[in-house]
Amino acid sequence: MHLYGLMANILLVIAVGVFAVCVYAFVNAAMQRPDAYTATGKQTKPIWLAILGLAILLAVTGWLSVMGTAIAAAAAGVYLADVRPRLLEVQGKSR
């Protein structure tokens, strides 16, 4: 196998993983109460759904662009690492 083929396969696996994380983040964001977003001061629910929806789109087309995959991973990462814990805290749910 050529080095280029190996690298392409690795990037494809990463893009699929980022896609899965983005879908999980989107579904989780959709399941949270809208008032919890306001209480945390972390934008509104529609804004986060739009950000994560765009991240899913970028992840789907990520095999075309490494930058798109990186942006999608960053968006999902910010939601999962920063916003989601605060939402759960405000709603009195465990992590």
Side-chain angles (χ1 to χ4, degrees):
M1 178 181 287
H2 293 88
L3 182 60
Y4 178 77
L6 177 63
M7 288 177 56
N9 287 337
I10 290 171
L11 290 176
L12 179 62
V13 168
I14 291 171
V16 169
V18 169
F19 172 75
V21 170
C22 288
V23 169
Y24 171 76
F26 183 86
V27 170
N28 184 274
M31 293 175 29
Q32 305 302 320
R33 294 187 340 235
D35 62 320
Y37 287 89
T38 307
T40 62
K42 300 287 184 182
Q43 299 299 330
T44 63
K45 184 175 183 173
I47 289 173
W48 273 108
L49 291 176
I51 291 169
L52 295 170
L54 180 60
I56 289 171
L57 182 63
L58 287 172
V60 166
T61 60
W63 62 273
L64 295 174
S65 164
V66 174
M67 184 61 92
T69 302
I71 293 169
V78 167
Y79 174 79
L80 292 173
D82 184 35
V83 179
R84 182 177 177 268
R86 296 283 304 273
L87 290 171
L88 295 177
E89 181 182 317
V90 165
Q91 296 177 84
K93 298 178 181 178
S94 63
R95 295 178 189 205

